[in-house]
Amino acid sequence: MKVNSWAVCLGAFLAFLAITLMTDNIKWGFITGLTISVGGFKWIRIKRKEAKEELEYDERVNLNILQSSLYVYSGSLVLLLSYLIVSSQILNNISINIELLTWYLAITLFLGFYIVPSIIKRR
């Protein structure tokens, strides 16, 4: 069975819609759609690698990807730590919304695992 990106996107959207309508909570629909899309794209990537459609990269490219991802993670953690220190020591009030923190961590992981490696591979 040939699965492409459009099928994964459509499946994630339909799962998002179905779970949101069943639970009346958009958060669970978003989590379901995100899980299906990440899993589907990972599966497509593995199948392409097995079919040798993706080029093999040497040690230098893999090292650059590792270093760039480390820079993204380090920068995001420094930003989060700075916020926590400023809000606790200077403002004397830590008011962090768990949903925003979840979004922040999800975006950081998405950048480090998918966006940065694809940019480095194309250079």
Side-chain angles (χ1 to χ4, degrees), residues 98-112:
I98 298 299
E99 289 182 11
L100 290 177
L101 181 63
T102 304
W103 275 97
Y104 180 77
L105 293 175
I107 290 170
T108 300
L109 289 173
F110 184 73
L111 282 173

Side-chain angles (χ1 to χ4, degrees), residues 84-114:
L84 292 173
I85 288 173
V86 166
S87 63
S88 68
Q89 297 299 321
I90 297 172
L91 301 176
N92 293 327
N93 184 13
I94 298 178
S95 60
I96 192 163
N97 188 351
I98 298 299
E99 289 182 11
L100 290 177
L101 181 63
T102 304
W103 275 97
Y104 180 77
L105 293 175
I107 290 170
T108 300
L109 289 173
F110 184 73
L111 282 173
F113 283 134
Y114 292 104

Side-chain angles (χ1 to χ4, degrees), residues 11-88:
F13 177 73
L14 291 176
F16 164 76
L17 193 62
I19 297 297
T20 301
L21 291 175
M22 284 191 292
T23 61
D24 289 332
N25 193 346
I26 196 167
K27 178 174 53 176
W28 293 113
F30 178 74
I31 290 172
T32 304
L34 185 65
T35 303
I36 289 173
S37 63
V38 168
F41 285 123
K42 186 69 173 176
W43 184 66
I44 289 173
R45 188 174 174 193
I46 289 171
K47 290 298 179 184
R48 283 185 182 161
K49 193 170 187 175
E50 287 176 359
K52 298 293 181 195
E53 291 178 9
E54 191 173 309
L55 296 173
E56 294 293 325
Y57 297 102
D58 61 354
E59 295 285 327
R60 293 177 293 148
V61 174
N62 290 334
L63 184 63
N64 287 341
I65 290 171
L66 183 66
Q67 287 176 343
S68 300
S69 296
L70 182 64
Y71 293 152
V72 168
Y73 295 138
S74 299
S76 66
L77 287 175
V78 164
L79 187 64
L80 181 61
L81 184 64
S82 301
Y83 168 75
L84 292 173
I85 288 173
V86 166
S87 63
S88 68

